Amino acid sequence: EKGLHLLRCLLAERITDARRRARGMDMHKDYNEFMEKGYLTRDFSTMQVEDVKKILMMVSGYGEDKLPSLTWELRTVTADRCDLNLDLHVDTYHPSWKLWLYAEDIDVDKGPTVYVEGSHRNDIRKLKWLYNVSNNPPLYGPGSYGSFRMDSVECEQDFESQGSYMRQKSDSNGASLSTVKTKGDGESEEAWNYTRRVPVRGSKLTLVVVDVSGLHARGVAKPGSLRRTMIVTGGQ
């Protein structure tokens, strides 16, 4: 029935909020920032293991026994003009988190994750969009199984032709932000009353924690360029 997807999104969010409060994690010093934006960046070089664990307990509401082992391995991503992760999307219906370390300085030219701040919360903007997209899902691709897309980058042999082109836009700090405009540009975050996505940039050894139930995408970089991060491996 129409609207059931919204119900499960709201229930999952409220259960997660209740877990956080039950463990007192709403008192964590980074709680308000995370709840407002949907992501955190911190200088990993100044942190202890316990500091990272506390952040993960705060964003998830889980106890330490449910956290992954903080063992890191290098991941290198090659920029690809046909990467589905360039689409602005949510990973799933419930609060869910990813974390990584920057293994090098990451600015907009490296294609960092871009994020629509506040889109991890099920406010009226998010619910209207979810209602629309969940009742008109695509037949194929990630959106067909719940990783809904708000916009789609067109995969073209010439990335800057036929209506798909690079656009430079200044963010609030005055830095240049590369984004992709798709043909027609009909489903941007601004059309749903969000502020424009921001790049999650950082220097080497920046810790990034992101709620991937919010709208995010892989940032645009020159095809063939490399971005190096450290990701958590294995289970608990």
Side-chain angles (χ1 to χ4, degrees):
E1 294 293 333
K2 291 184 176 181
L4 287 180
H5 182 72
L6 276 63
L7 177 61
R8 71 173 184 166
C9 291
L10 286 166
L11 288 174
E13 180 179 72
R14 292 179 183 182
I15 290 170
T16 303
D17 288 346
R19 281 203 311 265
R20 293 180 180 127
R21 291 192 299 269
R23 293 186 178 276
M25 288 300 154
D26 54 333
M27 303 303 293
H28 189 281
K29 62 185 178 65
D30 296 323
Y31 176 82
N32 289 335
E33 180 181 349
F34 179 77
M35 294 299 285
E36 179 181 353
K37 292 168 50 177
Y39 67 92
L40 291 172
T41 58
R42 294 292 181 266
D43 182 358
F44 185 74
S45 68
T46 67
M47 302 174 73
Q48 303 295 322
V49 172
E50 289 305 312
D51 298 327
V52 179
K53 288 181 178 180
K54 287 292 186 182
I55 286 178
L56 296 182
M57 291 169 67
M58 180 270 291
V59 300
S60 68
Y62 290 128
E64 185 174 341
D65 60 317
K66 300 294 185 182
L67 300 181
S69 173
L70 294 177
T71 304
W72 306 87
E73 71 174 20
L74 180 66
R75 179 183 66 173
T76 300
V77 174
T78 304
D80 181 355
R81 67 189 61 177
C82 295
D83 187 348
L84 290 177
N85 286 320
L86 293 174
D87 299 348
L88 193 63
H89 65 283
V90 297
D91 280 13
T92 186
Y93 71 93
H94 58 84
S96 184
W97 308 274
K98 291 181 180 177
L99 72 155
W100 60 89
L101 296 173
Y102 287 148
E104 58 187 344
D105 293 348
I106 301 293
D107 210 331
V108 292
D109 61 318
K110 292 285 188 179
T113 294
V114 294
Y115 201 90
V116 178
E117 293 186 355
S119 64
H120 63 307
R121 301 299 292 176
N122 290 309
D123 59 15
I124 190 64
R125 299 170 298 180
K126 179 80 169 287
L127 293 174
K128 283 182 177 179
W129 175 69
L130 286 172
Y131 182 85
N132 179 70
V133 72
S134 64
N135 285 306
N136 299 280
L139 295 177
Y140 306 101
S144 65
Y145 49 81
S147 181
F148 296 125
R149 266 52 185 164
M150 181 171 278
D151 65 12
S152 294
V153 171
E154 297 206 358
C155 179
E156 314 219 8
Q157 188 171 17
D158 181 357
F159 196 54
E160 298 189 29
S161 70
Q162 300 180 35
S164 184
Y165 58 91
M166 297 293 291
R167 179 173 58 191
Q168 294 291 326
K169 184 178 179 69
S170 292
D171 66 10
S172 59
N173 295 319
S176 180
L177 168 61
S178 295
T179 60
V180 166
K181 185 176 181 181
T182 58
K183 189 178 294 183
D185 202 31
E187 283 274 308
S188 73
E189 62 272 24
E190 291 164 312
W192 294 94
N193 296 318
Y194 285 108
T195 56
R196 178 162 284 276
R197 69 199 76 177
V198 297
V200 185
R201 53 167 70 91
S203 57
K204 184 177 181 180
L205 290 183
T206 293
L207 173 70
V208 182
V209 183
V210 174
D211 185 342
V212 291
S213 69
L215 289 159
H216 64 286
R218 183 166 288 163
V220 176
K222 182 179 178 181
S225 62
L226 303 178
R227 183 176 71 256
R228 297 176 178 86
T229 59
M230 305 292 290
I231 61 172
V232 171
T233 64
Q236 297 179 17

